[in-house]
Amino acid sequence: GPCLVAVTLSTVSNWENEFGLWAPDLHIVTYNGKAESRRIIRDFEFNTGPGTKHARTIRPRVVLTTFEMITQDASVFKGIRWESLVVDEGHRLKNSQSKLSVTLNTFRIEHRVLLTGTPLQNNLDELFHLLAFIRPDVFSSLEDFQEQFSQLKHEEQIENLKARGAPHMLRRLKRDVMKSIPPKVERMVPVSLPPVQKAYYPAALTR
């Protein structure tokens, strides 16, 4: 450690509960709240000294905070050498010019982890920015990435893209963790149009 965990405000309590369940002995501090509350945390947990903002060492092994606090108190986090960073809702970093992405890239971080359910639904540029955030040494050129995977209509390129990203992604699929799910069954049920739709449908087509 220390580890910085950045989450949405609405999930802070969920993260606190899970840390209490899975790592009850870990010293965890939730950095959030009004300015006075955050000052007290810095004075007693971040070894900043009374009245100062910049920290070099901190007591907690995990600091749980929100995206808003990351950008608002960037100078506090920037002065700490983080062993690891975990970003919940990691697809927020798909825009490399967003304030959160730019701010996090100024921090000293050894390991980076993004938690997201939608990395493969993003377009090519957004996927590159996510990969480049966690491995800037491997994914350093957007132009090269675009050139290599510009024609994703071909099955071969799609497979190559999956292979390129596979070492940096851990995907959890339903079929891998829920063995009791029955096979998918599709049933086509023809339904006639109601009168209103019957009137509008040909009108939309002809006009």
Side-chain angles (χ1 to χ4, degrees):
C3 175
L4 178 63
V5 180
V7 305
T8 58
L9 179 61
S10 61
T11 62
V12 168
S13 59
N14 295 335
W15 276 87
E16 290 174 333
N17 293 338
E18 293 303 317
F19 272 122
L21 177 65
W22 294 95
D25 297 328
L26 213 57
H27 184 182
I28 299 167
V29 167
T30 300
Y31 186 89
N32 199 22
K34 297 183 178 180
E36 179 61 17
S37 300
R38 304 199 306 274
R39 183 193 64 79
I40 293 174
I41 294 174
R42 292 195 297 268
D43 290 348
F44 288 92
E45 298 285 0
F46 284 20
N47 299 330
T48 61
T52 62
K53 287 187 176 182
H54 302 283
R56 293 299 171 189
T57 58
I58 62 175
R59 294 175 57 199
R61 293 297 85 198
V62 176
V63 175
L64 176 64
T65 190
T66 65
F67 302 131
E68 292 76 19
M69 293 297 100
I70 290 285
T71 55
Q72 187 170 332
D73 287 356
S75 60
V76 175
F77 302 106
K78 189 176 180 180
I80 302 168
R81 185 179 295 278
W82 300 99
E83 176 68 22
S84 56
L85 165 73
V86 177
V87 181
D88 199 6
E89 302 292 335
H91 49 268
R92 286 173 175 250
L93 302 177
K94 63 186 180 182
N95 179 6
S96 62
Q97 301 304 313
S98 68
K99 188 173 183 180
L100 178 62
S101 183
V102 171
T103 301
L104 288 174
N105 274 316
T106 65
F107 295 177
R108 296 180 295 172
I109 303 166
E110 188 69 23
H111 305 288
R112 303 179 180 196
V113 177
L114 304 183
L115 305 180
T116 177
T118 59
L120 298 183
Q121 278 75 38
N122 298 311
N123 62 41
L124 197 62
D125 290 7
E126 293 171 348
L127 178 60
F128 171 83
H129 292 313
L130 293 178
L131 293 170
F133 181 82
I134 57 176
R135 289 300 305 271
D137 55 327
V138 176
F139 300 92
S140 57
S141 173
L142 174 59
E143 290 75 17
D144 292 345
F145 193 79
Q146 289 173 329
E147 182 178 353
Q148 186 176 0
F149 301 108
S150 58
Q151 300 295 330
L152 284 182
K153 296 179 181 179
H154 302 298
E155 185 67 25
E156 183 179 354
Q157 277 205 326
I158 295 176
E159 293 303 320
N160 289 340
L161 177 59
K162 289 181 179 180
R164 183 82 183 275
H168 315 287
M169 292 184 185
L170 178 62
R171 300 185 66 196
R172 183 180 63 177
L173 303 178
K174 282 186 179 180
R175 65 172 180 266
D176 296 330
V177 295
M178 300 182 68
K179 304 296 185 181
S180 61
I181 295 180
K184 180 179 179 180
V185 177
E186 291 188 3
R187 289 189 174 90
M188 305 299 293
V189 181
V191 179
S192 61
L193 295 176
V196 174
Q197 287 184 332
K198 284 183 178 180
Y200 277 99
Y201 185 69
L205 291 178
T206 56
R207 293 165 64 178

